[in-house]
Amino acid sequence: MQSGNAHVQCRVCRHPVPVPPNRSVVQCSLCKEGTQVGPPPRGKSYIVCECNALLTVTANAADARCPRPHCRKFLIMKPPASGKRRAMCAHCDTLLIYNWTAAAVICPKCKGRSVVSRPKTIIYPLLYFIFGIIALIIGILGVAISIFGQGTVVWGAYSCLVIGPCFLIRAFIHVIYNCSAPKAHEV
């Protein structure tokens, strides 16, 4: 800063920008980007997006989204809470926060569903497939016993014939999910 007429360099294009009194952010006349001059207002914090947008957010915010329509990046300022993890979406490469016990995650940007870790892509479809086959076997045996046996209707067998294909369909859905890449915990 110079004495007398205060100027600050733009953080994007390094053009000198005059600083009016009592301002904490100034806009460059050349590139139209905001530059921080002083400390943020009380209870606020500044973060800079990858697209050079200067964002003012609340001081205790854990994340923010860039408001520019061509960017819309999901910016994370704090590490996730306990029980939460970070991952990159398998469809649009957006950073997302998810509950580590969840079987599948839904991206807030593209609404795509994906499984986060490789063991879940193997274990969940296998469990659903096994439960589906067991339910179908119980249903077929129950119907066969009720037809050829005493002649009484076994309603549990019919419900197993409905539940079995549902499990098999769920197993197929888990097989076709994309796998998102988990991110290392950043502090």
Side-chain angles (χ1 to χ4, degrees):
M1 286 203 168
Q2 302 169 351
S3 61
N5 211 359
H7 283 75
V8 68
Q9 273 191 346
C10 173
R11 62 179 174 75
V12 178
C13 68
R14 303 290 182 219
H15 179 67
V17 180
V19 179
N22 301 327
R23 295 290 302 259
S24 59
V25 176
V26 292
Q27 185 177 18
C28 177
S29 59
L30 195 64
C31 66
K32 306 294 186 208
E33 293 291 345
T35 299
Q36 177 183 350
V37 178
R42 184 176 306 190
K44 300 289 184 177
S45 174
Y46 292 127
I47 59 168
V48 179
C49 182
E50 294 174 9
C51 69
N52 290 323
L54 181 66
L55 306 174
T56 305
V57 296
T58 58
N60 58 357
D63 52 28
R65 186 172 294 281
C66 181
R68 292 185 175 171
H70 68 276
C71 180
R72 305 293 292 166
K73 288 274 190 223
F74 190 68
L75 306 168
I76 298 176
M77 279 108 29
K78 294 181 181 176
S82 65
K84 301 280 185 180
R85 299 280 198 295
R86 294 180 186 166
M88 296 296 288
C89 176
H91 305 281
C92 66
D93 291 330
T94 301
L95 186 64
L96 52 99
I97 298 176
Y98 67 97
N99 188 350
W100 69 274
T101 58
V105 237
I106 300 173
C107 176
K109 184 177 179 183
C110 69
K111 306 296 185 216
R113 293 184 80 126
S114 59
V115 179
V116 177
S117 64
R118 281 288 169 202
K120 288 182 182 177
T121 61
I122 297 169
I123 293 172
Y124 283 109
L126 187 63
L127 287 176
Y128 281 121
F129 181 76
I130 290 171
F131 289 146
I133 295 297
I134 290 173
L136 282 177
I137 290 172
I138 291 172
I140 291 170
L141 288 177
V143 169
I145 289 172
S146 69
I147 290 173
F148 297 113
Q150 308 145 338
T152 59
V153 177
V154 181
W155 292 107
Y158 291 110
S159 63
C160 284
L161 285 177
V162 172
I163 292 172
C166 293
F167 277 129
L168 293 176
I169 290 170
R170 187 71 178 173
F172 176 72
I173 289 172
H174 271 280
V175 167
I176 62 173
Y177 277 164
N178 288 340
C179 186
S180 295
K183 297 284 284 184
H185 183 69
E186 300 157 5
V187 178

